[in-house]
Coordinates of all heavy atoms in Angstrom, one line a residue:
M1 N 59.4 -123.6 -222.6 CA 60.3 -124.5 -223.3 C 59.6 -125.9 -223.4 O 59.0 -126.3 -222.5 CB 61.5 -124.6 -222.4 CG 62.6 -125.6 -223.0 SD 64.0 -125.5 -221.9 CE 65.2 -126.2 -223.0
S2 N 59.7 -126.4 -224.6 CA 59.0 -127.7 -224.8 C 60.1 -128.8 -224.8 O 61.2 -128.7 -225.3 CB 58.3 -127.7 -226.2 OG 57.2 -126.8 -226.1
A3 N 59.7 -130.0 -224.3 CA 60.5 -131.2 -224.3 C 60.4 -131.8 -225.7 O 61.4 -132.1 -226.3 CB 60.1 -132.2 -223.3
V4 N 59.2 -131.9 -226.2 CA 58.9 -132.3 -227.5 C 57.6 -131.6 -227.9 O 57.0 -131.0 -227.0 CB 58.6 -133.9 -227.6 CG1 59.9 -134.7 -227.3 CG2 57.5 -134.3 -226.7
P5 N 57.3 -131.5 -229.1 CA 56.0 -130.8 -229.5 C 54.8 -131.3 -228.7 O 54.6 -132.5 -228.6 CB 55.9 -131.1 -231.0 CG 57.3 -131.3 -231.5 CD 57.9 -132.0 -230.3
G6 N 54.2 -130.3 -228.0 CA 53.0 -130.7 -227.2 C 53.3 -131.1 -225.8 O 52.4 -131.3 -225.0
L7 N 54.5 -131.1 -225.4 CA 54.9 -131.5 -224.0 C 55.8 -130.4 -223.4 O 57.0 -130.3 -223.9 CB 55.5 -132.9 -223.9 CG 56.0 -133.3 -222.5 CD1 54.8 -133.5 -221.6 CD2 56.8 -134.7 -222.7
K8 N 55.4 -129.7 -222.4 CA 56.2 -128.7 -221.8 C 57.3 -129.3 -221.0 O 57.1 -130.4 -220.4 CB 55.4 -127.8 -220.9 CG 54.4 -127.0 -221.7 CD 55.1 -125.9 -222.5 CE 54.1 -125.1 -223.3 NZ 54.7 -124.2 -224.2
M9 N 58.5 -128.7 -220.9 CA 59.6 -129.2 -220.2 C 59.3 -129.4 -218.7 O 59.7 -130.4 -218.1 CB 60.8 -128.3 -220.3 CG 62.1 -128.8 -219.7 SD 62.7 -130.4 -220.4 CE 63.3 -129.8 -222.0
A10 N 58.5 -128.5 -218.1 CA 58.1 -128.7 -216.7 C 57.4 -130.0 -216.5 O 57.6 -130.7 -215.5 CB 57.3 -127.5 -216.3
S11 N 56.5 -130.3 -217.4 CA 55.7 -131.5 -217.3 C 56.6 -132.8 -217.5 O 56.4 -133.8 -216.7 CB 54.6 -131.6 -218.3 OG 53.7 -130.5 -218.1
A12 N 57.5 -132.7 -218.4 CA 58.5 -133.8 -218.6 C 59.3 -134.0 -217.4 O 59.5 -135.1 -217.0 CB 59.3 -133.5 -219.9
L13 N 59.8 -132.9 -216.8 CA 60.7 -133.1 -215.6 C 59.9 -133.6 -214.4 O 60.4 -134.4 -213.7 CB 61.3 -131.7 -215.3 CG 62.4 -131.3 -216.2 CD1 62.9 -129.9 -215.8 CD2 63.6 -132.2 -216.1
A14 N 58.7 -133.1 -214.3 CA 57.8 -133.6 -213.2 C 57.5 -135.1 -213.3 O 57.6 -135.8 -212.4 CB 56.5 -132.8 -213.2
G15 N 57.3 -135.5 -214.6 CA 57.0 -136.9 -214.8 C 58.2 -137.8 -214.6 O 58.1 -138.9 -214.1
Q16 N 59.4 -137.2 -214.8 CA 60.7 -138.0 -214.6 C 61.1 -138.0 -213.1 O 61.5 -139.0 -212.6 CB 61.7 -137.4 -215.5 CG 63.1 -138.1 -215.4 CD 63.1 -139.4 -216.2 OE1 62.4 -139.4 -217.3 NE2 63.8 -140.4 -215.8
L17 N 61.1 -136.8 -212.5 CA 61.7 -136.6 -211.2 C 60.7 -136.9 -210.1 O 61.0 -137.3 -209.0 CB 62.3 -135.2 -211.0 CG 63.5 -135.0 -211.9 CD1 63.8 -133.5 -211.9 CD2 64.7 -135.8 -211.5
G18 N 59.4 -136.6 -210.3 CA 58.4 -136.8 -209.3 C 58.3 -138.2 -208.7 O 58.4 -138.3 -207.4
P19 N 58.2 -139.2 -209.5 CA 58.2 -140.6 -208.9 C 59.5 -140.9 -208.1 O 59.4 -141.6 -207.1 CB 58.0 -141.5 -210.1 CG 57.3 -140.6 -211.1 CD 57.9 -139.2 -210.9
D20 N 60.6 -140.5 -208.7 CA 61.9 -140.7 -208.0 C 62.0 -140.0 -206.7 O 62.4 -140.6 -205.7 CB 63.1 -140.3 -208.9 CG 63.3 -141.1 -210.1 OD1 62.7 -142.3 -210.1 OD2 64.0 -140.7 -211.0
A21 N 61.5 -138.8 -206.6 CA 61.4 -138.0 -205.4 C 60.5 -138.7 -204.4 O 60.8 -138.8 -203.2 CB 61.0 -136.6 -205.6
A22 N 59.3 -139.1 -204.8 CA 58.4 -139.8 -203.9 C 59.0 -141.1 -203.4 O 58.8 -141.4 -202.2 CB 57.1 -140.1 -204.7
K23 N 59.7 -141.8 -204.2 CA 60.3 -143.1 -203.7 C 61.4 -142.8 -202.7 O 61.7 -143.5 -201.8 CB 60.9 -143.9 -204.9 CG 59.9 -144.7 -205.6 CD 60.6 -145.6 -206.6 CE 60.6 -145.0 -207.9 NZ 61.2 -145.8 -209.0
A24 N 62.2 -141.7 -202.9 CA 63.3 -141.3 -202.0 C 62.7 -140.9 -200.6 O 63.5 -141.0 -199.7 CB 64.1 -140.2 -202.6
G25 N 61.5 -140.5 -200.6 CA 60.9 -140.1 -199.3 C 61.5 -138.9 -198.7 O 62.0 -138.0 -199.3
R26 N 61.5 -138.8 -197.4 CA 61.9 -137.7 -196.6 C 63.4 -137.3 -196.9 O 63.8 -136.2 -196.7 CB 61.6 -137.8 -195.1 CG 60.2 -138.2 -194.8 CD 59.3 -137.3 -194.2 NE 59.7 -136.3 -193.3 CZ 59.2 -135.1 -193.3 NH1 58.4 -134.7 -194.3 NH2 59.6 -134.2 -192.4
G27 N 64.2 -138.3 -197.2 CA 65.6 -138.0 -197.5 C 65.8 -137.3 -198.8 O 66.7 -136.6 -199.0
G28 N 64.8 -137.3 -199.7 CA 64.8 -136.6 -200.9 C 65.9 -137.1 -201.9 O 66.6 -138.0 -201.6
L29 N 65.8 -136.5 -203.0 CA 66.8 -136.8 -204.1 C 68.1 -136.0 -203.8 O 68.0 -134.8 -203.4 CB 66.3 -136.5 -205.5 CG 65.1 -137.3 -206.0 CD1 64.7 -136.8 -207.3 CD2 65.6 -138.8 -206.2
R30 N 69.2 -136.6 -204.1 CA 70.4 -135.8 -204.0 C 70.6 -135.0 -205.3 O 70.1 -135.4 -206.3 CB 71.6 -136.8 -203.8 CG 71.6 -137.5 -202.4 CD 72.8 -138.3 -202.2 NE 73.2 -139.1 -203.3 CZ 73.0 -140.4 -203.5 NH1 72.4 -141.1 -202.5 NH2 73.4 -141.0 -204.5
E31 N 71.4 -134.0 -205.2 CA 71.7 -133.1 -206.4 C 72.3 -134.0 -207.5 O 72.0 -133.7 -208.7 CB 72.5 -132.0 -206.0 CG 72.6 -130.9 -207.1 CD 73.1 -129.6 -206.6 OE1 72.8 -129.2 -205.5 OE2 73.7 -128.9 -207.5
A32 N 73.1 -134.9 -207.1 CA 73.7 -135.8 -208.2 C 72.7 -136.6 -208.9 O 72.8 -136.8 -210.2 CB 74.7 -136.7 -207.5
E33 N 71.6 -137.0 -208.3 CA 70.6 -137.8 -209.0 C 69.8 -136.9 -209.9 O 69.5 -137.3 -211.0 CB 69.7 -138.4 -207.9 CG 70.3 -139.5 -207.1 CD 69.5 -139.9 -205.9 OE1 69.0 -139.0 -205.2 OE2 69.4 -141.1 -205.7
V34 N 69.5 -135.7 -209.4 CA 68.8 -134.7 -210.3 C 69.6 -134.3 -211.5 O 69.2 -134.3 -212.6 CB 68.3 -133.5 -209.5 CG1 67.7 -132.4 -210.4 CG2 67.3 -133.9 -208.4
S35 N 70.9 -134.1 -211.2 CA 71.8 -133.7 -212.3 C 71.9 -134.8 -213.3 O 72.0 -134.5 -214.5 CB 73.2 -133.4 -211.7 OG 73.2 -132.3 -210.9
G36 N 71.9 -136.1 -212.9 CA 72.0 -137.2 -213.8 C 70.8 -137.2 -214.8 O 71.0 -137.5 -215.9
V37 N 69.6 -136.9 -214.2 CA 68.4 -136.8 -215.1 C 68.6 -135.7 -216.1 O 68.3 -135.8 -217.3 CB 67.1 -136.7 -214.3 CG1 65.9 -136.4 -215.1 CG2 66.9 -138.0 -213.5
L38 N 69.0 -134.5 -215.6 CA 69.1 -133.3 -216.5 C 70.1 -133.6 -217.6 O 70.0 -133.0 -218.7 CB 69.5 -132.1 -215.6 CG 68.4 -131.7 -214.6 CD1 69.0 -130.5 -213.8 CD2 67.1 -131.3 -215.2
K39 N 71.2 -134.3 -217.3 CA 72.2 -134.6 -218.3 C 71.7 -135.5 -219.4 O 72.3 -135.5 -220.5 CB 73.4 -135.2 -217.6 CG 74.2 -134.3 -216.7 CD 75.4 -134.9 -216.0 CE 76.1 -133.9 -215.1 NZ 77.2 -134.5 -214.4
K40 N 70.6 -136.2 -219.2 CA 70.1 -137.1 -220.3 C 69.1 -136.4 -221.2 O 68.6 -136.9 -222.2 CB 69.4 -138.2 -219.6 CG 70.3 -139.2 -218.9 CD 69.6 -140.3 -218.2 CE 70.5 -141.1 -217.4 NZ 69.7 -142.2 -216.6
I41 N 68.8 -135.1 -220.9 CA 67.7 -134.4 -221.7 C 68.4 -133.5 -222.7 O 69.1 -132.5 -222.3 CB 66.8 -133.6 -220.7 CG1 66.1 -134.5 -219.8 CG2 65.8 -132.7 -221.5 CD1 65.3 -133.8 -218.7
P42 N 68.3 -133.8 -224.0 CA 69.0 -132.9 -225.0 C 68.2 -131.6 -225.2 O 67.0 -131.6 -225.2 CB 69.0 -133.8 -226.2 CG 67.8 -134.7 -226.0 CD 67.6 -134.9 -224.5
V43 N 69.0 -130.6 -225.5 CA 68.5 -129.3 -225.8 C 69.2 -128.7 -227.0 O 70.4 -128.7 -227.0 CB 68.6 -128.3 -224.6 CG1 68.2 -126.9 -225.0 CG2 67.9 -128.8 -223.4
D44 N 68.5 -128.4 -228.1 CA 69.1 -127.8 -229.3 C 69.3 -126.3 -229.0 O 68.4 -125.6 -228.6 CB 68.2 -128.0 -230.5 CG 68.1 -129.5 -230.9 OD1 69.1 -130.2 -230.6 OD2 67.1 -129.8 -231.6
V45 N 70.5 -125.9 -229.3 CA 70.8 -124.4 -229.2 C 71.4 -124.0 -230.5 O 71.8 -124.8 -231.4 CB 71.8 -124.1 -228.1 CG1 71.1 -124.4 -226.7 CG2 73.1 -124.9 -228.2
G46 N 71.4 -122.7 -230.7 CA 71.9 -122.1 -232.0 C 71.1 -122.5 -233.2 O 71.7 -122.9 -234.2
G47 N 69.8 -122.6 -233.0 CA 69.0 -123.0 -234.2 C 69.1 -124.4 -234.5 O 68.9 -124.8 -235.7
G48 N 69.5 -125.2 -233.6 CA 69.7 -126.7 -233.8 C 71.1 -127.1 -234.3 O 71.3 -128.2 -234.6
R49 N 72.0 -126.1 -234.3 CA 73.3 -126.4 -234.8 C 74.1 -127.2 -233.7 O 75.0 -127.9 -234.1 CB 74.1 -125.1 -235.1 CG 73.5 -124.5 -236.4 CD 74.3 -123.2 -236.7 NE 73.9 -122.3 -235.7 CZ 74.3 -121.0 -235.7 NH1 75.0 -120.5 -236.6 NH2 73.9 -120.2 -234.7
V50 N 73.8 -127.0 -232.5 CA 74.5 -127.7 -231.4 C 73.4 -128.3 -230.4 O 72.4 -127.7 -230.2 CB 75.4 -126.7 -230.6 CG1 76.0 -127.3 -229.4 CG2 76.4 -126.0 -231.5
T51 N 73.7 -129.5 -229.9 CA 72.9 -130.1 -228.9 C 73.7 -130.2 -227.6 O 74.8 -130.8 -227.6 CB 72.4 -131.5 -229.4 OG1 71.6 -131.3 -230.6 CG2 71.5 -132.1 -228.3
L52 N 73.1 -129.7 -226.5 CA 73.7 -129.8 -225.2 C 72.7 -130.4 -224.3 O 71.5 -130.5 -224.6 CB 74.1 -128.4 -224.7 CG 75.1 -127.6 -225.5 CD1 75.2 -126.2 -225.0 CD2 76.5 -128.3 -225.5
S53 N 73.2 -130.8 -223.1 CA 72.2 -131.4 -222.1 C 71.6 -130.2 -221.4 O 72.1 -129.1 -221.3 CB 72.9 -132.3 -221.1 OG 73.7 -131.5 -220.2
L54 N 70.4 -130.5 -220.9 CA 69.7 -129.4 -220.1 C 70.5 -129.0 -218.9 O 70.6 -127.8 -218.6 CB 68.3 -130.0 -219.6 CG 67.4 -129.0 -218.8 CD1 67.2 -127.7 -219.6 CD2 66.1 -129.7 -218.4
Y55 N 71.3 -129.9 -218.4 CA 72.2 -129.6 -217.3 C 73.2 -128.6 -217.7 O 73.5 -127.7 -216.9 CB 72.9 -130.9 -216.8 CG 73.8 -130.7 -215.7 CD1 73.4 -130.6 -214.3 CD2 75.2 -130.6 -215.9 CE1 74.3 -130.3 -213.3 CE2 76.1 -130.4 -214.9 CZ 75.7 -130.3 -213.6 OH 76.6 -130.0 -212.6
D56 N 73.7 -128.7 -218.9 CA 74.8 -127.8 -219.4 C 74.3 -126.4 -219.6 O 75.0 -125.5 -219.6 CB 75.4 -128.4 -220.6 CG 76.3 -129.6 -220.4 OD1 76.8 -129.7 -219.3 OD2 76.4 -130.5 -221.3
V57 N 73.0 -126.3 -219.9 CA 72.5 -124.9 -220.2 C 71.8 -124.3 -219.0 O 71.4 -123.1 -219.1 CB 71.5 -125.0 -221.4 CG1 72.2 -125.4 -222.7 CG2 70.3 -125.8 -221.2
M58 N 71.6 -125.0 -217.9 CA 71.0 -124.5 -216.7 C 72.1 -123.9 -215.8 O 73.1 -124.6 -215.5 CB 70.3 -125.6 -215.9 CG 69.0 -126.0 -216.5 SD 68.2 -127.3 -215.5 CE 67.7 -126.4 -214.0
P59 N 71.9 -122.7 -215.2 CA 72.8 -122.2 -214.2 C 72.8 -123.1 -213.0 O 71.7 -123.7 -212.7 CB 72.2 -120.8 -213.8 CG 71.4 -120.4 -215.0 CD 70.8 -121.7 -215.6
S60 N 73.9 -123.3 -212.3 CA 74.0 -124.2 -211.2 C 73.0 -123.9 -210.1 O 72.4 -124.7 -209.4 CB 75.4 -124.3 -210.6 OG 75.8 -123.0 -210.2
G61 N 72.7 -122.6 -209.9 CA 71.7 -122.2 -208.9 C 70.3 -122.7 -209.3 O 69.5 -123.0 -208.3
C62 N 70.0 -122.9 -210.5 CA 68.7 -123.4 -210.9 C 68.6 -124.9 -210.6 O 67.5 -125.4 -210.2 CB 68.4 -123.2 -212.4 SG 68.2 -121.5 -212.8
V63 N 69.7 -125.6 -210.7 CA 69.7 -127.0 -210.4 C 69.5 -127.2 -208.9 O 68.7 -128.0 -208.4 CB 71.0 -127.7 -210.8 CG1 71.1 -129.1 -210.3 CG2 71.2 -127.6 -212.3
S64 N 70.2 -126.3 -208.1 CA 70.0 -126.4 -206.6 C 68.5 -126.0 -206.3 O 67.9 -126.6 -205.4 CB 70.9 -125.4 -205.9 OG 72.2 -125.7 -206.2
D65 N 67.9 -125.0 -207.0 CA 66.5 -124.7 -206.7 C 65.6 -125.8 -207.0 O 64.6 -126.1 -206.3 CB 66.1 -123.4 -207.6 CG 66.8 -122.2 -207.1 OD1 67.3 -122.1 -206.0 OD2 66.7 -121.2 -207.9
L66 N 65.9 -126.5 -208.1 CA 65.1 -127.7 -208.5 C 65.1 -128.8 -207.4 O 64.1 -129.3 -207.0 CB 65.5 -128.3 -209.8 CG 64.7 -129.5 -210.3 CD1 63.2 -129.2 -210.4 CD2 65.3 -129.9 -211.7
V67 N 66.3 -129.0 -206.9 CA 66.5 -130.0 -205.8 C 65.6 -129.5 -204.6 O 64.9 -130.3 -204.0 CB 67.9 -130.2 -205.4 CG1 68.1 -131.0 -204.2 CG2 68.7 -130.8 -206.6
R68 N 65.7 -128.3 -204.2 CA 65.0 -127.7 -203.1 C 63.5 -127.9 -203.3 O 62.7 -128.2 -202.4 CB 65.3 -126.3 -202.8 CG 66.4 -126.2 -201.7 CD 66.5 -124.8 -201.3 NE 66.9 -124.0 -202.4 CZ 68.0 -123.5 -202.8 NH1 69.0 -123.6 -202.1 NH2 68.3 -122.9 -203.9
L69 N 63.0 -127.6 -204.5 CA 61.6 -127.7 -204.9 C 61.1 -129.1 -204.7 O 60.0 -129.4 -204.2 CB 61.3 -127.2 -206.3 CG 61.3 -125.7 -206.5 CD1 61.3 -125.5 -208.0 CD2 60.1 -125.1 -205.9
L70 N 61.9 -130.1 -205.1 CA 61.6 -131.5 -205.0 C 61.5 -131.9 -203.5 O 60.6 -132.6 -203.1 CB 62.6 -132.4 -205.7 CG 62.4 -132.3 -207.2 CD1 63.7 -132.9 -207.9 CD2 61.2 -133.0 -207.7
E71 N 62.5 -131.4 -202.7 CA 62.5 -131.7 -201.3 C 61.2 -131.1 -200.6 O 60.6 -131.8 -199.8 CB 63.7 -131.1 -200.6 CG 65.0 -131.8 -201.0 CD 66.2 -131.0 -200.5 OE1 66.1 -129.8 -200.1 OE2 67.3 -131.6 -200.6
D72 N 60.8 -129.9 -201.0 CA 59.6 -129.2 -200.4 C 58.4 -130.0 -200.8 O 57.5 -130.2 -200.0 CB 59.5 -127.8 -200.9 CG 60.5 -126.9 -200.3 OD1 61.2 -127.3 -199.4 OD2 60.7 -125.7 -200.9
W73 N 58.3 -130.5 -202.1 CA 57.2 -131.2 -202.6 C 57.0 -132.5 -201.8 O 55.9 -132.9 -201.4 CB 57.3 -131.5 -204.1 CG 56.2 -132.3 -204.6 CD1 55.0 -131.8 -205.0 CD2 56.2 -133.7 -204.9 NE1 54.2 -132.9 -205.5 CE2 54.9 -134.0 -205.4 CE3 57.2 -134.7 -204.8 CZ2 54.6 -135.3 -205.8 CZ3 56.8 -136.0 -205.2 CH2 55.6 -136.3 -205.7
V74 N 58.1 -133.2 -201.6 CA 58.1 -134.5 -200.8 C 57.6 -134.2 -199.4 O 56.8 -134.9 -198.9 CB 59.4 -135.2 -200.9 CG1 59.5 -136.4 -199.9 CG2 59.7 -135.7 -202.2
R75 N 58.1 -133.2 -198.8 CA 57.8 -132.9 -197.4 C 56.3 -132.5 -197.3 O 55.7 -132.9 -196.3 CB 58.7 -131.7 -196.9 CG 58.4 -131.4 -195.4 CD 59.3 -130.2 -194.9 NE 59.0 -129.0 -195.7 CZ 59.8 -128.4 -196.5 NH1 61.0 -128.8 -196.6 NH2 59.4 -127.3 -197.1
D76 N 55.8 -131.8 -198.3 CA 54.4 -131.3 -198.2 C 53.4 -132.4 -198.6 O 52.2 -132.2 -198.4 CB 54.2 -130.1 -199.1 CG 55.0 -128.9 -198.5 OD1 55.4 -128.9 -197.4 OD2 55.2 -127.9 -199.3
N77 N 53.8 -133.5 -199.2 CA 52.9 -134.5 -199.7 C 52.9 -135.8 -198.8 O 53.6 -136.1 -198.1 CB 53.2 -134.9 -201.1 CG 52.6 -133.8 -202.1 OD1 51.5 -133.5 -202.0 ND2 53.5 -133.3 -202.8

C-alpha cells in the first residue's frame, strides 16, 4: 500500500509515529495517540469513489498490534 506514489505506507507511518514513540519513551504511545494519527491519513476506496481514514479501514486488532509494535521498538532501542 502506498501513501503517495513512491512512498510505502509502512515508511510513512514509521516516519510519523517513530519520533513520537521515541519521545514518549518507556511509557510508549497510547492507543488514542496512534489512532489520532491513523485518522488523519486518507485512503481512497472503491476506485477513488470514497475516501476514508486509514483508521476506518483497519481492523481494531491491527491498531492494537501497531501500538504493541511501537512499544516493543521503544523498549528494544
